[in-house]
Amino acid sequence: MLDPKRIRTEGEALAKQLLVKKFELDVARMENLDQQRKTLQLETESLQNERNLRSKMIGKAKAAGEDISEILQSVDSMKAELETKKEQLHLVQEEITSYLMGVPNVPDDDVPEGNDEASNKEVLRWGEVKNYDFEIKDHAELGEALEQGLDFETAAKLTGSRFVVMHGNAAKLHRALIQFMLDTHTLEHGYTEVNVPYIVNSQSLLGTGQLPKFEEDLYKLRGDHDLYLIPTAEVPVTNLVRDQIIDADRLPLKYASHTPCFRSEAGSYGKDTKGMIRQHQFEKVELVQIVRPEDSNKVLEELTAHAEKILQLLELPYRKVILCGGDLGFAASKTYDLEVWLPSQDTYREISSCSCFTDYQARRMHARWRNPDSGKPELVHTVNGSGLAIGRTLVAIFENGQQEDGSIRIPKVLVPYMNGLELLS
RNA sequence: GGAGAGGUGGCCGAGUGGUUGAAGGCGCGCCCCUGCUAAGGGCGUAUAGGGGAAACCUUAUCGAGGGUUCGAAUCCCUCCCUCUCCGCCA
């Protein structure tokens, strides 16, 4: 959520910035609603104050043994007016917050203009894209040909499209990737591993910004209990600090978490129908940092570098892009996507998304820290990124490591995690 | 699923339908005293919102949401969570 005060005082400037994100802030409507709110709040509060004063007088008069019938009547007569004012005030306040909950975060000054991914700006390329002197296959083909490989058909039988069964060494490679990434982030990059619920309530999803706007992307559990499968570990991990005031010396909090992620992928029917690129269920190692406001930009760079390090160790060629306004996520102020080279598609595909959310999620979550300079609780900043998406990493290893006979070379760093196995064949 | 107990400020912990934003303690901050240290004393110490240039005024908050009442931490209802015992289960 944006700071309501800021909308009040610098609405026009914010509206201009939000245009980069293709969002039209209705400043006039907000001003109008706020004017109503102000009037109603003043009236309501002064009525309440009056009632409180008189009620206290009743207490005193009663204790002194005086007659209270007259004052009782005078306060009784205020009741109806107070009730209606209260109701009106609540309606206006609800309208304001529900509008505010739908306003995205303001993009950082670095964010380039543009409507879609075509306008994303490349900032770095790493690694050599290999030349293959044989006809290359895509990961699905490679995986299905392996005896211990990928099995989309059986997954479709078990569940439906966009699921996969991994057998034997493919499953082991998948597990090795998780282990390797967690080890690297906890041992080399200073993150603390955390294991969290895969089911969350709506409050958590409101906190990180998936709700109320993006409910159709989520799997909701049946029953009356208001629970959802997580679309990313970002939700439970970031919400660890919801409704908390964190001691300054505990910051930054650095969490690494491996979870499955569930996405209904509504509205993406045509895209990536084949293979493991886009699944309803996939796994991810997620990095989350809770930081002091002044550090968040620097931390985004660091955290992105931590994700990049994984790609480098796996010797996978990638590029780094900064997302343009139109492609930037709802709650993010700035996002770097890491895109890995996929030979079969002759292009780079997203494998990690690292974002700074400034105080946007923190305000929704009431996540604060005690600033020693002011002595006051102030909103933290949140930063997160995938480090990395496991399934897509497996895809990249299959495709980049393929050999003419259809076998797949396992990156050196993973060999120990595969108990010495160097080749999938 | 059944039975019981409980949820109060950064923490512990009292609490009567009425001047309780909430005793007391711990912690924390400032100050005093003590030639160091320990001990002691004084004062202060929640959060969010609104109005105001400011001083300051004001509203709300005792798990959440409703209700009763002139007035609710206190009474009633619903829900959530924690603990103990039983059942079931990995």
Side-chain angles (χ1 to χ4, degrees), chain A residues 67-80:
Chain A
D67 179 34
I68 56 166
S69 57
E70 196 176 315
I71 189 163
L72 207 63
Q73 208 175 21
S74 78
V75 81
D76 204 24
S77 66
M78 298 169 55
K79 227 183 159 182

Side-chain angles (χ1 to χ4, degrees), chain A residues 132-179:
Chain A
Y132 297 84
D133 51 10
F134 54 88
E135 192 157 332
I136 52 166
K137 302 187 178 102
D138 69 29
H139 72 279
E141 240 179 300
L142 290 161
E144 283 174 320
L146 289 171
E147 202 180 302
Q148 303 182 20
L150 307 178
D151 184 352
F152 298 99
E153 230 178 284
T154 307
K157 177 184 76 180
L158 299 179
T159 312
S161 65
R162 295 198 197 279
F163 288 88
V164 68
V165 173
M166 290 172 267
H167 290 281
N169 284 331
K172 187 169 183 168
L173 179 61
H174 189 263
R175 176 162 56 88
L177 281 168
I178 296 164
Q179 196 83 343

Side-chain angles (χ1 to χ4, degrees), chain A residues 223-237:
Chain A
D224 51 4
H225 33 235
D226 177 42
L227 298 174
Y228 299 78
L229 295 178
I230 58 169
T232 158
E234 166 188 350
V235 179
V237 177

